[in-house]
């Protein structure tokens, strides 16, 4: 796919998100003016980091599609599944998938009740504190898989807390938009 096709789809996605946001609050209205420079830029950073990662992709708590929809746009070769339990948000995600002709699948389910999906890669952004997130990821990640967790300024404390119950290998990538935030690349997850 050419770069212009990706750019076109990113623009169409941003415009759908702006259209639906007043009705279902997909991103905080106060941050809508930073949709491209913050929300989408963070997701594009993840797509760049995972550029050569093989296998399928699962995005947990997709909400308005960050980073799941951006991954679907940037990696059309990936089998990609988005999990979102809120019906209105899942309807939005399905509408984006349809209008942009993306190959992603949307499951309107709670993460903790779905049978394990054995994903090669899992992403999550603004879903839950890391100790809770590790349980979600552990349920659905293949033992040799990689989790890509987008975390805010408190990430170091969350990692320390998660290590009380889990062992894992961690590679933090500083966020491109906020030097205190990070994308945590996590592998080898086991109960401590
Ligand atoms: C704060 S939003 C973040 C959405 C998006 N990842 C982002 O960064 O903009 C968290 C989303 O996860 C969904 N969610 C929360 N707990 C969930 C669960 N247990 N199973 C599925 N979805 C869940 C919520 O409905 C919400 O849309």
């Amino acid at each position: 796919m050419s770069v212009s096709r990706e750019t076109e789809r990113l623009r169409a996605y941003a415009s759908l998100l702006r259209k639906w946001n007043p009705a279902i609050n997909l991103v905080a209205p106060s941050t809508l003016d930073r949709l491209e420079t913050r929300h989408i830029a963070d997701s594009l950073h993840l797509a760049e980091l995972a550029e050569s990662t093989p296998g399928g992709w699962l995005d947990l708590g997709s909400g308005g599609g960050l980073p799941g929809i951006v991954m679907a746009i940037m990696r059309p070769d990936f089998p990609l599944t988005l999990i979102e339990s809120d019906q209105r948000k899942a309807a939005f995600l399905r509408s984006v998938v349809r209008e942009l002709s993306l190959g992603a699948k949307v499951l309107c389910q709670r993460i903790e009740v779905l049978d394990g999906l054995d994903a090669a890669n899992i992403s999550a952004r603004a879903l839950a504190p890391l100790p809770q997130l590790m349980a979600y990821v552990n349920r659905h990640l293949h033992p040799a898989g990689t989790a890509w967790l987008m975390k805010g300024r408190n990430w170091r404390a969350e990692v320390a807390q998660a290590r009380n119950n889990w062992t894992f290998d961690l590679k933090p990538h500083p966020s491109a938009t906020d030097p205190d935030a990070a994308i945590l690349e996590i592998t080898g997850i086991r109960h401590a």
Side-chain angles (χ1 to χ4, degrees):
M1 178 181 294
S2 71
V3 172
S4 65
R5 178 87 165 129
E6 288 162 358
T7 306
E8 198 180 290
R9 281 177 158 167
L10 287 170
R11 281 197 193 123
Y13 167 52
S15 132
L16 285 168
L17 207 142
R18 285 198 165 90
K19 184 171 143 195
W20 285 57
N21 207 53
I24 50 175
N25 215 23
L26 298 160
V27 300
S30 60
T31 66
L32 204 55
D33 59 342
R34 281 171 282 151
L35 181 57
E36 285 83 0
T37 54
R38 177 179 156 193
H39 298 296
I40 292 179
D42 281 344
S43 300
L44 285 171
H45 182 202
L46 171 61
E48 223 176 274
L49 290 174
E51 194 173 38
S52 49
T53 304
W57 197 281
L58 178 64
D59 185 52
L60 302 178
S62 302
L66 298 154
I69 290 290
V70 175
M71 286 303 300
I73 291 171
M74 300 309 288
R75 293 296 302 266
D77 54 314
F78 264 2
L80 205 139
T81 301
L82 313 180
I83 302 183
E84 172 51 54
S85 60
D86 181 295
Q87 292 201 10
R88 291 181 313 160
K89 292 180 182 175
F92 167 75
L93 293 168
R94 289 193 177 114
S95 172
V96 173
V97 165
R98 197 174 49 247
E99 292 203 27
L100 271 57
S101 306
L102 301 172
K105 183 159 101 184
V106 178
L107 298 180
C108 187
Q109 296 268 11
R110 292 197 68 79
I111 297 155
E112 61 274 34
V113 304
L114 269 174
D115 287 341
L117 293 171
D118 212 26
N121 296 279
I122 292 184
S123 56
R125 178 180 185 262
L127 174 60
L130 196 58
Q132 170 69 63
L133 205 46
M134 293 303 280
Y136 288 163
V137 166
N138 190 51
R139 182 180 186 85
H140 293 295
L141 189 67
H142 185 279
T146 305
W148 307 87
L149 308 178
M150 302 168 78
K151 283 283 162 194
R153 295 165 183 231
N154 208 26
W155 69 265
R156 287 180 183 81
E158 289 191 34
V159 166
Q161 222 189 331
R163 289 214 191 271
N164 291 329
N165 293 311
W166 303 94
T167 60
F168 50 87
D169 299 315
L170 169 68
K171 189 169 170 192
H173 302 275
S175 155
T177 61
D178 174 354
D180 294 330
I183 297 176
L184 307 182
E185 180 179 347
I186 293 179
T187 50
I189 299 171
R190 292 179 307 282
H191 278 285

